[in-house]
Amino acid sequence: MVLRLLKWIWRAWPVLAVTAMIMAHWLVLIFLPFDWEIVNKTIAFALQIIGGFLVLYSIDSNIGVIRGRSLGLEFRQYLAQFPLLRKTHVIEAKGASCTLSSGEAKLRTTRNPTTMEEKLDYLQEQIDEIRHSFRDEISRIRGEFDQRKTEVEQKIGSLSKSINNVESIVEEISIGSIKIQIFGVLLLVHGGISGYIA
């Protein structure tokens, strides 16, 4: 029970840290014989710089999560695109290939039966050939269907992985760095107020 209470309290660490800084600031003002104005301006300056860097760090981590890059890399690329700098261009030639797919050809011979028995045999052969052709076509269609089904299942699996990745990125951006941003903003606010206390 106590551990759960401590974990719950620790979730608000930005507020706790700023409260501890305010108390330390107050103790410095009471117990140390310095000029209040100098102490307040020094603390205000330091807290605003630290708060600004924490917000910048949080923005950098969000860019890292979204794009997989950092603010430093973005800035270097921005400088590298300066229009007055000469750029070297590399031209690369690649070959092309062509593939041919082959189809299925069927050859049928016909004969001219004369007797009734030959005609019946010929009709039976034609029926058997149609049945055989029909079975081949069904098995070919089933094979194509199974192949397409496997491809669709793989694409569905890939899409669900992508959706899970996007969900984790959004969660990391919205929840992961929010405490650092709050802490940085609270430092900026405390620093701003401290600069005006005399």
Side-chain angles (χ1 to χ4, degrees):
M1 183 73 166
V2 174
L3 186 61
R4 280 177 44 203
L5 178 64
L6 290 174
K7 283 183 180 178
W8 180 81
I9 292 172
W10 182 247
R11 282 173 46 195
W13 69 263
V15 176
L16 296 174
V18 170
T19 304
M21 286 184 183
I22 291 171
M23 293 183 72
H25 182 186
W26 182 71
L27 290 173
V28 166
L29 291 175
I30 290 176
F31 292 113
L32 294 178
F34 295 122
D35 183 18
W36 278 35
E37 190 175 348
I38 293 172
V39 170
N40 286 338
K41 285 186 177 179
T42 305
I43 288 176
F45 177 73
L47 290 179
Q48 287 178 352
I49 295 293
I50 293 169
F53 276 121
L54 283 174
V55 171
L56 191 64
Y57 169 77
S58 176
I59 291 170
D60 183 50
S61 66
N62 286 346
I63 288 175
V65 168
I66 294 171
R67 294 188 183 175
R69 295 153 47 156
S70 66
L71 276 177
L73 181 63
E74 294 278 341
F75 185 67
R76 282 194 300 274
Q77 285 183 345
Y78 169 75
L79 291 178
Q81 294 171 354
F82 185 64
L84 299 179
L85 291 177
R86 290 183 112 173
K87 296 177 187 170
T88 57
H89 297 282
V90 177
I91 298 174
E92 186 176 326
K94 292 186 178 179
S97 64
C98 180
T99 58
L100 297 174
S101 59
S102 60
E104 193 177 302
K106 293 184 180 179
L107 180 65
R108 228 167 51 175
T109 59
T110 58
R111 58 189 167 142
N112 197 6
T114 54
T115 66
M116 185 60 79
E117 285 183 2
E118 287 178 347
K119 289 182 181 179
L120 285 176
D121 287 342
Y122 179 70
L123 282 174
Q124 186 62 45
E125 287 173 11
Q126 294 296 318
I127 291 170
D128 290 342
E129 187 177 326
I130 290 171
R131 280 185 187 155
H132 183 67
S133 177
F134 188 63
R135 273 192 295 250
D136 288 347
E137 192 66 22
I138 286 175
S139 54
R140 185 188 64 79
I141 290 171
R142 279 187 183 152
E144 284 184 7
F145 177 78
D146 290 341
Q147 182 182 356
R148 299 288 186 268
K149 181 182 172 188
T150 304
E151 290 173 2
V152 167
E153 286 172 351
Q154 288 173 350
K155 286 181 181 177
I156 289 172
S158 173
L159 284 174
S160 62
K161 281 182 186 176
S162 298
I163 289 171
N164 289 338
N165 288 342
V166 168
E167 285 177 353
S168 65
I169 286 171
V170 168
E171 184 177 338
E172 187 175 339
I173 289 171
S174 61
I175 296 171
S177 62
I178 190 78
K179 291 183 181 180
I180 294 173
Q181 292 173 1
I182 290 171
F183 184 56
V185 169
L186 289 175
L187 287 179
L188 288 169
V189 169
H190 177 61
I193 293 171
S194 299
Y196 289 100
I197 297 175

